[in-house]
């Protein structure tokens, strides 16, 4: 009997060991999005026609992305790696926000060279061919043609390991460069210890541009082989047998020559945001041995564990590549910021540290990731999402305000909206553990109700932009230019996003039983009405005296709209579509929505439009959503380096793909519901952290059979094209009967009826 129990226990443990079941890492192509997009939209800036992703090696949401470097700077909107470039300058411990138009910071690059010692990035760069390049989440390999060196790298969250294979008999040099564009860095060689240490100070952009971010990227490089010669370089000057270089206004670096009879050189690198000693301890903890293959296996295990959380079944291998590559890209940010022992740079301070029992994360591209990246984690990584939320609360405590768009571990007002509120609220209504709801609400409410009267800190990014105008008028009038923001003006877009954020905050108030706040915020969430012109039926700029802006073209970019047109932003009322329909007129609403797609006004390459195709399903025409989702998938995504139609923006483009290929999408975070689209696989199984499984079966699915004829959740018919977060987390089965013909009769009810029947008016 005892043996039988042990056998059952062993089998149960094996079943829970996700990475032993599937090796989905084999489907991931990290090069997707590293090239110029296939179908370039006219009039976009150079950075906007690229996915801006990097082929990052490491672990999910790790501190460092280990990446081949084709671009040496840390300038805004320049990724370390572009597929179309033909030379590699080295291998970087990068903090680039993958898919963004931000900047790298605190990075260091290592480049193996032979024969002749060359130090400057473009001079030492080697030609390479993609035919000799292997890119995986756990591993990167390339042949440096100019030197005949095969370079391999793998890594974990804070540490990496390289294997450089030189030609027999060649001299073995390494060049190390802290990538400080400002020329402020330090590097030191300890030949006796076979160690190079240094740091690269991080600097801010957006609010506080050019100022110190209050921390550095520290690094420790350790070598297995003896250092037989060394030196430093400053600008154009090379110095031998000098072991320290400090840059003040010029780029600096170090070089070493290694002895040893073998061809292979093993290099280990530890990093930290707090000190060189912490970098050394991080390396000792994560990669204690000189074992490249063991580290690679650990990285692969971490990725396979994540990637197996969603198991897809289908015959189309290319779609699997797209799906798992997108899941990988949506799992790089926010990044871990603390050392192994919990030490991290105190938020928005100058070179102070704190210690946390939780993992601390930063680099929240919040305008992007609140839409789909964070809701995706609410399903597959609730504990990680709890740590994200805990980090946002920690930032609020340390800085005094809930951050709008925390990057470089500092406040910024980089984009518009106040969407940390939406992110925290979505976590609360889904009962995500790991953070203090009351404490979070205190800072959420402060952002929504208290204008920051301290001009200096406001200019540095603390507090909601233009809140005084918003509270006074119920909208932001054109007279308020929102001068203390990176994106100035954009008054209508800000109003619409604040109205949504007020709705999200109302839902948090409901969770906490704060009836007065709930009612007040629900009323404020109707402020969107002040910038939707009922006569034209479009979002439109408005003056302080109530006059609508003239002249008016809804299909043209304008100063009061953020990264789009009034036509795009008219649909940004995810929390009250029935109200928007009443303003526009239901018939005109439907006609406008049809024309928006029919006449190609839709722009998938930027975030404000990501929910729009799902609006049909919310208003009773689910078949149109089903058609459009597959059309977007075919036109905007490809399993190739040019396979993204815009910046991935910290994984948001990819998270949209993950959700849409599964067949549902979080149109309105802070409502615990997902609107149904149409899946791209015969079966999708979610392996939940609570030990349960949720399966979506698309019976009869094919490239032609994309329309849902009926849907049954756990044997009961769905009358609304939506499922709840609770439905998923309880486990169960959603069975979709697919056909080539649209079913214009399903669903019988609109999404609003779901909210009315399942969400009470009072908390």
């Amino acid at each position: 009997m005892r043996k039988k129990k042990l056998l059952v226990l062993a089998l149960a443990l094996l079943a829970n060991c996700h990475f032993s079941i599937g090796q989905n890492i084999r489907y991931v192509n990290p090069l997707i999005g590293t090239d110029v997009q296939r179908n370039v939209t006219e009039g976009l800036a150079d950075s906007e026609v690229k996915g801006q992703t990097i082929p990052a090696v490491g672990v999910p949401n790790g501190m460092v992305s280990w990446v081949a470097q084709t671009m040496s700077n840390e300038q805004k909107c320049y990724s370390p790696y572009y597929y179309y470039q033909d030379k590699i300058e080295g291998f970087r411990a990068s903090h680039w926000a993958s898919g963004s138009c931000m900047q790298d910071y605190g990075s260091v690059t290592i480049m193996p060279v032979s024969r002749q010692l060359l130090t400057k990035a473009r001079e030492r760069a080697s030609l390479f061919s993609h035919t000799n390049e292997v890119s995986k989440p756990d591993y990167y390999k390339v042949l440096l043609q100019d030197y005949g060196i095969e370079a391999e790298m793998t890594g974990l969250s804070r540490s990496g390991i390289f294997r450089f294979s030189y030609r027999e008999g060649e001299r073995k040099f390494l060049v190390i460069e802290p990538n400080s564009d400002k020329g402020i860095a330090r590097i030191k060689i300890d030949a006796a210890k076979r160690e190079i240490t240094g740091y690269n100070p991080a600097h801010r952009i957006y609010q506080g541009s050019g100022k110190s971010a209050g921390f550095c990227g520290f690094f420790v490089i350790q070598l297995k082989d003896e250092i037989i010669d060394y030196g430093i370089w400053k600008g154009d000057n090379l110095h031998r047998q000098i072991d320290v270089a400090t840059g003040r206004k010029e780029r600096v670096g170090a070089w070493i020559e290694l002895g040893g009879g073998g061809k292979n050189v093993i290099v280990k690198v530890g990093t930290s945001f707090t000190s060189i000693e912490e970098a050394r301890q991080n390396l000792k903890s994560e990669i204690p041995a000189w074992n490249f293959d063991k580290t690679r296996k650990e990285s692969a295990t971490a990725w396979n564990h994540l990637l197996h959380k969603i198991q897809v079944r289908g015959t189309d291998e290319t779609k699997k590549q797209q799906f798992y590559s997108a899941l990988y890209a949506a799992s790089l940010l926010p990044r871990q910021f603390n050392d192994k022992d919990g030490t991290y740079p105190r938020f928005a301070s100058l070179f102070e540290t704190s210690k946390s029992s939780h993992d601390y994360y930063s680099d929240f591209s919040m305008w992007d990731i609140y839409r789909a990246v964070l809701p995706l984690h609410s399903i597959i990584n609730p504990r990680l999402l709890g740590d994200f939320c805990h980090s946002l609360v920690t930032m609020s405590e340390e800085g005094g305000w809930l951050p709008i768009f925390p990057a470089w571990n500092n406040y910024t007002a980089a984009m518009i909206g106040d969407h940390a509120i939406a992110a925290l609220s979505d976590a609360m209504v889904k009962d995500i553990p790991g953070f203090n709801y009351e404490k979070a609400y205190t800072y959420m409410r402060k952002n929504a109700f208290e204008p920051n009267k301290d001009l200096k800190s406001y200019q540095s990014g603390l507090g909601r932009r233009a809140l005084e105008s918003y509270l006074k008028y119920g909208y932001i009038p054109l007279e308020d230019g929102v001068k203390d923001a990176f994106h100035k003006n954009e008054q209508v877009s800000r109003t619409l996003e604040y109205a949504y954020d007020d709705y999200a905050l109302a839902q948090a108030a409901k969770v906490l039983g704060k009836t007065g706040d709930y009612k007040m915020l629900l009323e404020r969430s109707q402020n969107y009405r002040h910038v939707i012109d009922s006569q034209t039926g479009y979002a439109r700029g408005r003056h302080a005296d109530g006059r609508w802006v003239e002249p008016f073209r809804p299909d043209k970019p304008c100063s009061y709209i953020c990264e789009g047109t009034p036509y795009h932003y008219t649909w940004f009322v995810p929390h009250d579509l029935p109200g928007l329909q009443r303003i526009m007129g239901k018939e005109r609403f439907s006609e406008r929505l049809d024309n928006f797609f029919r006449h190609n006004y839709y722009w998938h390459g930027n975030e404000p439009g990501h929910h729009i195709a799902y609006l049909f399903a919310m208003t009773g025409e689910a078949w149109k959503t089903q058609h459009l989702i597959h059309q977007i998938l075919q036109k905007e995504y490809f399993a190739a380096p040019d396979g993204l139609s815009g910046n991935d923006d910290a994984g948001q483009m990819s998270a949209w793909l993950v959700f849409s290929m599964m067949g549902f999408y979080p149109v309105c975070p802070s409502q615990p519901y997902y609107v149904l689209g149409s899946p791209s696989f015969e079966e999708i199984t979610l392996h939940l952290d609570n030990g349960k499984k949720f399966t979506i079966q698309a019976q009869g699915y094919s490239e032609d059979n994309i329309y849902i004829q009926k849907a049954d959740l756990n044997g009961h018919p769905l009358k609304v094209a939506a499922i709840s977060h609770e439905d998923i987390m309880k486990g169960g089965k959603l069975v979709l009967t697919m056909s080539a013909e649209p079913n214009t009769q399903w669903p019988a009810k609109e999404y609003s009826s779901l909210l009315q029947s399942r969400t009470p008016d009072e908390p």
Side-chain angles (χ1 to χ4, degrees):
M1 189 69 176
R2 177 175 171 77
K3 287 183 179 180
K4 186 176 179 181
K5 286 183 178 180
L6 288 173
L7 177 61
V8 170
L9 179 60
L11 290 172
L13 289 171
L14 184 63
N16 284 321
C17 192
H18 292 165
F19 54 81
S20 70
I21 299 171
Q23 295 292 322
N24 291 328
I25 195 172
R26 70 188 186 276
Y27 291 115
V28 178
N29 179 3
L31 295 172
I32 291 175
T34 59
D35 205 352
V36 176
Q37 66 193 51
R38 186 169 301 188
N39 302 314
V40 175
T41 304
E42 207 172 310
L44 295 181
D46 180 64
S47 63
E48 293 175 321
V49 302
K50 302 166 186 172
Q52 295 285 84
T53 63
I54 55 173
V57 172
V59 294
N61 301 96
M63 178 185 287
V64 177
S65 295
W66 303 97
V67 62
Q69 173 183 307
T70 65
M71 182 82 78
S72 64
N73 62 55
E74 288 186 332
Q75 293 177 25
K76 184 176 181 287
C77 296
Y78 287 97
S79 165
Y81 177 100
Y82 288 111
Y83 187 84
Y84 58 81
Q85 294 176 330
D86 62 358
K87 289 188 175 183
I88 286 178
E89 302 170 341
F91 302 91
R92 185 187 294 195
S94 173
H95 306 116
W96 171 255
S98 185
S100 76
C101 194
M102 291 194 266
Q103 69 182 27
D104 206 343
Y105 60 90
S107 70
V108 61
T109 296
I110 300 172
M111 178 64 173
V113 300
S114 61
R115 303 177 204 149
Q116 182 182 2
L117 177 60
L118 299 170
T119 56
K120 295 179 74 172
R122 294 315 295 168
E123 292 175 356
R124 71 183 186 239
S126 170
L127 286 168
F128 78 105
S129 168
H130 295 299
T131 60
N132 293 317
E133 182 182 40
V134 177
S135 179
K136 291 292 179 185
D138 62 318
Y139 177 71
Y140 181 89
K141 180 174 76 171
V142 71
L143 177 65
L144 302 175
Q145 294 171 197
D146 290 2
Y147 305 112
I149 297 173
E150 183 180 79
E152 301 170 273
M153 67 178 172
T154 188
L156 302 176
S157 179
R158 309 164 184 88
S159 307
I161 186 167
F162 300 84
R163 184 162 58 198
F164 301 127
S165 300
Y166 293 72
R167 286 174 176 160
E168 195 74 50
E170 295 276 9
R171 297 178 72 183
K172 295 176 288 190
F173 294 104
L174 289 178
V175 178
I176 301 102
E177 179 177 10
N179 299 302
S180 172
D181 289 336
K182 294 181 178 294
I184 305 173
R186 180 179 171 83
I187 193 163
K188 180 180 180 181
I189 305 163
D190 189 327
K193 287 186 177 179
R194 304 180 185 182
E195 187 176 82
I196 299 98
T197 57
Y199 59 80
N200 175 6
H203 295 86
R204 297 170 66 182
I205 60 171
Y206 305 133
Q207 275 56 55
S209 181
K211 294 180 180 178
S212 171
F215 64 93
C216 299
F218 295 94
F219 59 88
V220 171
I221 299 169
Q222 294 179 350
L223 303 143
K224 192 174 185 181
D225 295 312
E226 178 187 6
I227 298 174
I228 61 174
D229 201 2
Y230 63 87
I232 56 96
W233 51 277
K234 289 187 175 185
D236 294 329
N237 300 314
L238 196 71
H239 304 277
R240 184 171 174 270
Q241 295 292 307
I242 294 179
D243 59 10
V244 177
T246 303
R248 290 183 172 83
K249 287 189 178 180
E250 59 184 343
R251 295 182 78 117
V252 299
W255 61 268
I256 58 173
E257 183 175 2
L258 296 168
K263 295 191 301 180
N264 290 346
V265 169
I266 305 294
V267 182
K268 297 195 298 184
V269 186
T271 70
S272 169
F273 289 130
T274 62
S275 72
I276 288 172
E277 182 53 36
E278 288 286 359
R280 188 179 286 114
Q281 291 304 314
N282 289 338
L283 177 58
K284 181 179 179 181
S285 176
E286 290 187 348
I287 311 179
W290 297 94
N291 192 328
F292 183 95
D293 295 329
K294 181 177 182 292
T295 303
R296 181 184 178 185
K297 186 176 180 181
E298 289 179 34
S299 173
T301 295
W303 280 111
N304 276 317
H305 180 77
L306 169 72
L307 297 170
H308 185 74
K309 289 188 175 189
I310 310 176
Q311 195 69 30
V312 301
R313 183 172 62 80
T315 58
D316 192 326
E317 295 296 290
T318 298
K319 284 186 177 180
K320 291 178 184 177
Q321 290 174 25
Q322 289 180 278
F323 181 82
Y324 286 112
S325 297
L327 183 52
Y328 152 84
S331 303
L332 296 174
L333 294 164
R335 80 174 71 257
Q336 194 172 51
F337 235 73
N338 61 286
D339 297 316
K340 194 74 174 177
D341 70 353
T343 306
Y344 66 93
R346 188 176 175 85
F347 183 71
S349 61
L350 291 175
F351 302 100
E352 298 178 31
T353 61
S354 296
K355 195 173 244 188
S356 175
S357 57
H358 287 251
D359 280 330
Y360 174 79
Y361 293 84
S362 190
D363 286 351
F364 288 79
S365 188
M366 194 59 81
W367 190 71
D368 311 294
I369 66 173
Y370 88 90
R371 302 168 196 267
V373 174
L374 299 182
L376 179 60
H377 285 300
S378 75
I379 299 172
I380 64 171
N381 278 316
R383 290 178 187 172
L384 178 64
L385 180 59
D387 280 343
F388 291 165
C389 294
H390 182 84
S391 299
L392 290 170
V393 175
T394 298
M395 292 172 184
S396 305
E397 291 182 293
E398 293 180 348
W401 294 81
L402 180 66
I404 304 290
F405 191 105
W408 310 281
N409 206 40
N410 276 270
Y411 287 100
T412 80
M415 293 298 296
I416 66 172
D418 193 4
H419 299 316
I421 285 176
L424 290 166
S425 173
D426 193 53
M428 289 182 187
V429 300
K430 293 174 179 175
D431 199 26
I432 299 297
F435 69 105
N436 187 310
Y437 286 17
E438 284 286 354
K439 201 173 285 185
Y441 186 82
T442 298
Y443 291 104
M444 294 159 74
R445 192 186 193 283
K446 181 178 180 180
N447 268 33
F449 284 89
E450 296 182 29
N452 186 355
K453 298 292 188 180
D454 181 70
L455 181 60
K456 186 175 180 182
S457 68
Y458 179 73
Q459 289 174 334
S460 193
L462 286 70
R464 189 185 282 194
R465 305 296 96 176
L467 180 58
E468 285 187 279
S469 289
Y470 180 73
L471 294 177
K472 179 178 180 181
Y473 298 99
Y475 65 98
I476 303 173
L478 298 178
E479 285 78 6
D480 186 341
V482 201
K483 65 179 182 177
D484 294 313
F486 178 72
H487 279 219
K488 302 181 184 352
N489 299 308
E490 301 178 347
Q491 297 92 338
V492 170
S493 296
R494 291 178 193 278
T495 299
L496 291 168
E497 296 198 21
Y498 288 164
Y500 160 70
D501 289 325
D502 288 343
Y503 175 86
L505 186 55
Q507 306 316 302
K510 179 192 293 185
V511 168
L512 297 173
K514 300 180 186 298
T515 304
D517 279 4
Y518 173 72
K519 290 180 177 178
M520 188 187 334
L521 287 160
L522 270 191
E523 185 176 342
R524 269 178 49 172
S525 75
Q526 297 295 301
N527 281 344
Y528 74 88
R529 296 168 178 266
H530 299 142
V531 291
I532 302 291
D533 175 15
S534 60
Q535 184 175 354
T536 65
Y538 289 106
R540 188 172 179 182
R542 200 167 194 180
H543 292 283
D545 62 7
R547 287 178 299 115
W548 297 106
V549 68
E550 293 285 359
F552 176 63
R553 283 286 305 273
D555 59 340
K556 297 295 181 184
C558 50
S559 64
Y560 53 83
I561 295 293
C562 176
E563 298 186 4
T565 68
Y567 206 169
H568 290 115
Y569 256 94
T570 296
W571 310 114
F572 193 81
V573 190
H575 59 289
D576 188 19
L577 283 183
L580 182 61
Q581 285 178 310
R582 285 192 291 271
I583 294 173
M584 294 176 67
K586 194 166 185 177
E587 192 173 312
R588 184 166 62 172
F589 177 98
S590 297
E591 182 185 358
R592 283 269 172 82
L593 196 52
D594 279 330
N595 287 336
F596 185 71
F597 289 95
R598 186 179 297 123
H599 298 298
N600 295 317
Y601 289 111
Y602 179 70
W603 176 26
H604 189 71
N606 207 6
E607 280 67 31
H610 277 189
H611 68 294
I612 301 175
Y614 286 90
L615 298 187
F616 290 106
M618 297 177 72
T619 53
E621 296 182 295
W623 68 271
K624 292 182 180 179
T625 289
Q626 293 156 23
H627 170 77
L628 287 167
I629 293 305
H630 283 277
Q631 191 177 73
I632 293 167
L633 290 172
Q634 291 170 2
K635 290 175 61 177
E636 307 286 355
Y637 293 92
F638 306 95
D642 60 354
L644 288 180
S645 63
N647 296 170
D648 197 26
D649 284 322
Q652 169 57 26
M653 287 279 290
S654 293
W656 187 95
L657 181 65
V658 171
F659 269 118
S660 294
M661 292 186 86
M662 287 196 294
F664 56 96
Y665 188 77
V667 169
C668 185
S670 75
Q671 289 176 356
Y673 300 99
Y674 304 92
V675 178
L676 291 187
S678 174
S680 295
F681 302 100
E682 288 90 331
E683 185 173 282
I684 302 104
T685 300
L686 295 165
H687 296 278
L688 306 173
D689 282 2
N690 61 14
K692 298 180 181 181
K693 294 193 298 185
F694 184 79
T695 301
I696 302 164
Q697 286 185 350
Q699 294 181 348
Y701 168 80
S702 70
E703 287 292 323
D704 297 319
N705 295 354
I706 62 170
Y707 297 103
I708 300 173
Q709 296 302 300
K710 66 174 185 174
D712 295 291
L713 177 63
N714 298 325
H716 300 286
L718 274 183
K719 295 181 180 179
V720 180
I723 54 175
S724 74
H725 183 75
E726 184 182 13
D727 289 334
I728 294 173
M729 301 311 289
K730 284 191 303 187
K733 183 182 291 185
L734 176 65
V735 179
L736 307 175
T737 303
M738 312 300 292
S739 169
E741 295 298 321
N743 182 353
T744 59
Q745 302 304 310
W746 184 86
K749 293 182 179 180
E750 297 181 358
Y751 178 82
S752 56
S753 66
L754 172 71
L755 298 181
Q756 290 166 3
S757 64
R758 297 186 66 173
T759 306
D761 290 333
E762 301 296 334

